[in-house]
Amino acid sequence: MNKRWSMPKLSLVIIAIAFLWIKTFIAYHASFNISTDNFMQDLILFINPLSFLLLIFGVGLLFKKEKTRNNYVIITSFVLTAILFANMVFYRFFNDFITLPVLFQTSNFGDLGGSAVENIYMTDALYFVDVLILIVLAKYKPSFMVFKEPTKVNRRAYFLVAIATFFLNLGLAETERPQLLTRTFDREMLVKNIGTYNYHIYDVYLQSKQSAQRALADSDALVDVNNYVQANKADVNNEMHGIGEGKNLIVVKLESMQNFVINNEMNGEVITPFLNSLTEDESTVYMDNFYHQTEQGKTSDSEFLLDNSLYPLGRGAVFFTHSGNEFNTLTDSLNEAGYYTNAMHANNKSFWNRDIVYDNFGYDRYYSLSDYTVEEGQAVNWGMKDIPFFEQSVEHMKEMEQPFYSKMITLTNHHPFYLDEEDKFINEFDSNSGTLNRYFQTVRYQDEAIKEFFTYLKEAGLYEDSVIVMYGDHYGISENHNVAMAQYLEQEEITAFDSAQLQRVPMFIHIPGEDIGETNSKLAGQIDLKPTIQSIMGIEGSNSIQFGQDIFSEENDNTVILRDGRVISENLVYAGETCWDKESGEPVEKEDCQPLIDKATEELAFNDEIIYGDLLRFYDNESGRLLEDTTVTEE
């Protein structure tokens, strides 16, 4: 009775787990902005880091020597903190989580410097403080801690708790989100349910599985895919067919330009005066309901969509992961029609692996940074400013044999959206987001650059005989800036419905001398570019395996699937696990969107089979038949 109760002593393992558990949970809310809708989701989010942390730190309990155990705990804590920190920085920039294929894109890292630094905060150093505390505790061994080797009974009990926690987490996640690991394209949903660290383990599993798909694939795998594609083709039947036949084709990718800036103002200042004028031009079709469909590959994804009318991958970038696949590209079809095909981008030729991919896609020439002269004051953000880029590019065009196809990639309107004073044609916005504030200025500069580009083409005598297609390659303002976007749009908040609508990017088809002017509000996406351009240029492409449709076809199904599984139709939008009425922007029964969800799931799955299995090597694009005597069902 005289014995006093004393608090059990803590081990270094338990303290390390507690530290990482707490800061991971903080990161979920402070950096990843993960939201929950009910108590079950709150519970899952709270416990999901724990099972992995128990298991990974538990390995340290197997070491007999105290010093080895302590070193293992400290090193593991540092590595896991570094992984968490890397995801935080990546998320601030891309609004996404790191995948294994992204880590293989090392040739891009050197060009990411400015954007990466922009997303690292001084306060991030606090995430590493616990590692220093662990080092101090291991060295000075305070009395409230125990450092002796655990008994076999304690170890067994520990791992039973760890395993039970893992299955509890998985069970709750499966209850809350059925078929979580088999039917989701949303990485945030995975992190929300199984945790950051378990997500990375799952990502490694996916990478291993997908790496084996090509070796196991054969032509039979293409039968169902081809039947689906043939059944969903839209016949060419419109007044735009062949209107650009024999003309030069110039495709301009408008870096980071979203559609909300077109015909709009910022604090009373017009954002895109020249592009606004094109929306009223008698020789221009302006698509105001056109969506980007990129994922982690961003600009390279938009290029992949243009050339192949296939979706990008949900993880990494096809330009890196499957650069050697067999593809049937827009560029190939233009080559066959007698065009001199080239890409123009004043950046390092290896960025996004372009020097390898462009050769595989069939481009005759890649005009990269070495083909441009960048004088003092002519570079900002990620490279050469757009106005001198256009000026020098037109000089290259003047030397080309006609007809030519030039794909041009702009750079100035790129995160972190800085400009030199002489290039600022409007003032900054006044929100709490420096990124959004500066964005309007770089968009305005990009608009001015396009105006100058048209002038250069006219002066060079190339304008009248060219088809000019321009489109936004991906969003510029991620969901991380929703508060500032709500301020600009004068809304209380940005809902999942609003966010889906903000994925619209401008698309212009400008054919001088042709009376085609209109604002076309048909639903379309980047996947529709290839068949649309082929139709305009009078090029046959009906046998290609592709998921896009000619925008101007009367048979176009007016449905857009985003790479993350969001779907937009004429009347409904599926986003944020919710079905929305498109006209009112209000939620409706999820069952109303089920046909759209099923279509997206099937189409994206077929798409991934093509890429992971390199299935187009089994397909004859000219005849529209599968190789190796495999029968194709025509529908």
Side-chain angles (χ1 to χ4, degrees):
M1 292 180 65
N2 293 328
K3 290 184 178 180
R4 296 178 62 188
W5 179 84
S6 61
M7 183 177 177
K9 292 189 175 183
L10 301 174
S11 70
L12 198 65
V13 167
I14 297 301
I15 293 176
I17 290 172
F19 278 143
L20 258 168
W21 188 7
I22 292 169
K23 65 185 176 185
T24 302
F25 191 71
I26 291 172
Y28 283 166
H29 294 281
S31 296
F32 302 141
N33 300 316
I34 295 178
S35 60
T36 55
D37 299 323
N38 53 53
F39 173 76
M40 179 65 78
Q41 291 182 8
D42 289 331
L43 178 61
I44 293 171
L45 192 66
F46 179 69
I47 69 171
N48 70 32
L50 186 56
S51 62
F52 176 83
L53 295 177
L54 285 170
L55 289 170
I56 196 69
F57 280 107
V59 174
L61 301 179
L62 303 178
F63 297 115
K64 294 184 178 298
K65 293 184 178 179
E66 178 189 317
K67 184 177 180 180
T68 305
R69 283 198 308 275
N70 293 347
N71 288 341
Y72 174 82
V73 170
I74 293 168
I75 293 171
T76 300
S77 183
F78 176 80
V79 170
L80 293 181
T81 301
I83 291 172
L84 182 65
F85 173 70
N87 273 289
M88 287 162 51
V89 174
F90 190 82
Y91 192 91
R92 288 167 185 164
F93 186 21
F94 294 107
N95 199 50
D96 199 356
F97 295 91
I98 294 174
T99 62
L100 201 59
V102 167
L103 296 179
F104 294 153
Q105 295 163 198
T106 53
S107 63
N108 278 3
F109 291 170
D111 296 81
L112 292 172
S115 293
V117 171
E118 184 74 18
N119 289 284
I120 297 176
Y121 308 149
M122 292 294 293
T123 53
D124 290 340
L126 295 175
Y127 280 92
F128 291 88
V129 169
D130 64 305
V131 179
L132 297 177
I133 294 175
L134 292 176
I135 293 172
V136 171
L137 293 176
K139 180 176 181 180
Y140 293 102
K141 300 180 181 179
S143 59
F144 64 84
M145 294 183 64
V146 59
F147 289 90
K148 66 180 181 180
E149 180 186 359
T151 64
K152 288 184 179 181
V153 173
N154 287 342
R155 276 199 296 260
R156 288 173 183 171
Y158 176 93
F159 282 108
L160 282 173
V161 170
I163 294 170
T165 304
F166 173 80
F167 282 108
L168 174 63
N169 180 188
L170 194 61
L172 291 175
E174 186 67 19
T175 301
E176 179 65 24
R177 184 67 166 82
Q179 297 179 301
L180 173 69
L181 301 181
T182 56
R183 291 178 62 88
T184 183
F185 300 104
D186 188 344
R187 276 177 289 279
E188 184 164 317
M189 183 65 65
L190 287 169
V191 171
K192 185 175 179 178
N193 283 279
I194 65 175
T196 310
Y197 311 107
N198 285 327
Y199 153 72
H200 284 297
I201 298 297
Y202 180 63
D203 185 50
V204 171
Y205 160 74
L206 285 180
Q207 180 67 17
S208 302
K209 176 184 175 182
Q210 291 159 355
S211 297
Q213 281 186 254
R214 188 184 190 280
L216 299 175
D218 57 30
S219 58
D220 291 340
L222 196 54
V223 174
D224 289 340
V225 177
N226 194 43
N227 288 340
Y228 176 86
V229 169
Q230 299 302 328
N232 288 276
K233 280 191 181 296
D235 289 338
V236 174
N237 180 22
N238 61 80
E239 295 179 358
M240 294 287 286
H241 181 66
I243 196 171
E245 187 170 358
K247 293 178 179 286
N248 301 317
L249 172 64
I250 301 172
V251 176
V252 182
K253 302 171 76 61
L254 303 172
E255 173 64 45
S256 301
M257 183 172 282
Q258 290 173 251
N259 200 60
F260 72 85
V261 298
I262 304 297
N263 288 322
N264 216 337
E265 296 182 352
M266 184 276 298
N267 289 342
E269 298 184 88
V270 178
I271 306 167
T272 56
F274 181 70
L275 293 178
N276 292 353
S277 70
L278 285 184
T279 67
E280 304 293 332
D281 187 273
E282 63 181 13
S283 297
T284 304
V285 176
Y286 162 54
M287 308 292 301
D288 65 352
N289 227 354
F290 184 83
Y291 290 77
H292 86 85
Q293 295 165 292
T294 66
E295 249 298 330
Q296 289 192 320
K298 293 301 183 285
T299 299
S300 73
D301 281 354
S302 73
E303 294 184 71
F304 181 74
L305 281 150
L306 167 71
D307 241 308
N308 296 279
S309 192
L310 298 175
Y311 296 96
L313 293 174
R315 303 165 56 256
V318 182
F319 271 37
F320 275 99
T321 60
H322 295 81
S323 60
N325 275 20
E326 185 76 24
F327 294 111
N328 301 317
T329 65
L330 170 65
T331 307
D332 282 333
S333 66
L334 289 164
N335 286 333
E336 292 172 8
Y339 279 72
Y340 174 71
T341 58
N342 61 94
M344 313 182 89
H345 185 36
N347 202 342
N348 298 327
K349 65 179 182 179
S350 62
F351 193 71
W352 284 122
N353 208 29
R354 285 189 174 101
D355 52 341
I356 304 298
V357 175
Y358 285 171
D359 184 60
N360 188 30
F361 281 7
Y363 287 89
D364 292 322
R365 174 72 188 275
Y366 175 22
Y367 294 88
S368 64
L369 182 60
S370 60
D371 295 291
Y372 293 84
T373 301
V374 184
E375 298 179 356
E376 185 177 352
Q378 289 189 338
V380 71
N381 296 324
W382 280 33
M384 190 177 191
K385 294 179 181 178
D386 291 345
I387 291 178
F389 165 68
F390 281 128
E391 183 178 18
Q392 293 185 36
S393 294
V394 171
E395 291 300 312
H396 288 311
M397 290 178 184
K398 288 163 64 175
E399 303 298 322
M400 295 177 188
E401 182 180 347
Q402 298 188 45
F404 61 77
Y405 160 49
S406 291
K407 177 178 70 176
M408 311 179 74
I409 304 173
T410 61
L411 264 177
T412 305
N413 187 38
H414 199 298
H415 187 276
F417 309 115
Y418 286 111
L419 272 183
D420 294 329
E421 285 300 320
E422 64 268 22
D423 298 320
K424 296 178 179 179
F425 299 106
I426 59 175
N427 295 313
E428 286 192 11
F429 188 47
D430 52 3
S431 73
N432 66 347
S433 167
T435 297
L436 180 62
N437 296 346
R438 296 187 298 271
Y439 178 71
F440 292 104
Q441 292 184 319
T442 52
V443 168
R444 176 66 183 86
Y445 174 88
Q446 187 177 54
D447 178 82
E448 192 71 18
I450 295 296
K451 176 184 174 182
E452 292 297 317
F453 175 51
F454 274 52
T455 300
Y456 298 145
L457 288 173
K458 291 173 183 178
E459 292 174 347
L462 297 170
Y463 174 76
E464 294 294 338
D465 201 31
S466 296
V467 174
I468 303 171
V469 178
M470 302 183 293
Y471 69 98
D473 62 351
H474 54 76
Y475 66 77
I477 305 300
S478 74
E479 295 178 14
N480 294 324
H481 305 277
N482 275 354
V483 173
M485 275 301 301
Q487 177 186 331
Y488 172 71
L489 297 174
E490 297 181 347
Q491 298 178 192
E492 290 186 7
E493 63 174 346
I494 300 295
T495 65
F497 170 80
D498 297 322
S499 182
Q501 297 300 87
L502 284 169
Q503 304 316 304
R504 286 179 294 189
V505 295
M507 205 275 271
F508 300 87
I509 299 172
H510 181 74
I511 309 178
E514 298 291 344
D515 186 16
I516 59 173
E518 66 170 341
T519 294
N520 190 314
S521 297
K522 287 185 70 173
L523 270 172
Q526 291 169 337
I527 204 159
D528 301 312
L529 285 166
K530 177 187 174 185
T532 303
I533 290 173
Q534 285 178 324
S535 175
I536 289 171
M537 305 307 291
I539 293 173
E540 178 63 37
S542 60
N543 286 332
S544 294
I545 289 184
Q546 56 191 20
F547 293 102
Q549 299 174 329
D550 180 358
I551 292 170
F552 302 105
S553 171
E554 295 176 1
E555 297 181 5
N556 189 293
D557 65 8
N558 291 308
T559 302
V560 173
I561 299 170
L562 304 189
R563 178 60 251 200
D564 58 12
R566 288 181 287 184
V567 197
I568 299 96
S569 71
E570 290 186 287
N571 301 312
L572 297 170
V573 172
Y574 176 68
E577 299 291 303
T578 302
C579 189
W580 306 81
D581 177 78
K582 196 172 184 183
E583 184 176 353
S584 67
E586 296 296 324
V588 295
E589 293 296 324
K590 187 175 180 180
E591 289 72 21
D592 295 346
C593 282
Q594 196 58 50
L596 298 178
I597 298 170
D598 293 341
K599 176 180 173 61
T601 301
E602 183 177 32
E603 192 156 304
L604 291 174
F606 278 144
N607 178 86
D608 292 353
E609 285 184 44
I610 292 172
I611 299 173
Y612 286 121
D614 192 10
L615 298 186
L616 295 185
R617 60 193 159 122
F618 303 122
Y619 186 75
D620 183 348
N621 197 50
E622 291 187 9
S623 66
R625 294 284 176 176
L626 274 64
L627 303 178
E628 299 183 357
D629 299 323
T630 302
T631 302
V632 181
T633 303
E634 298 284 0
E635 293 190 38

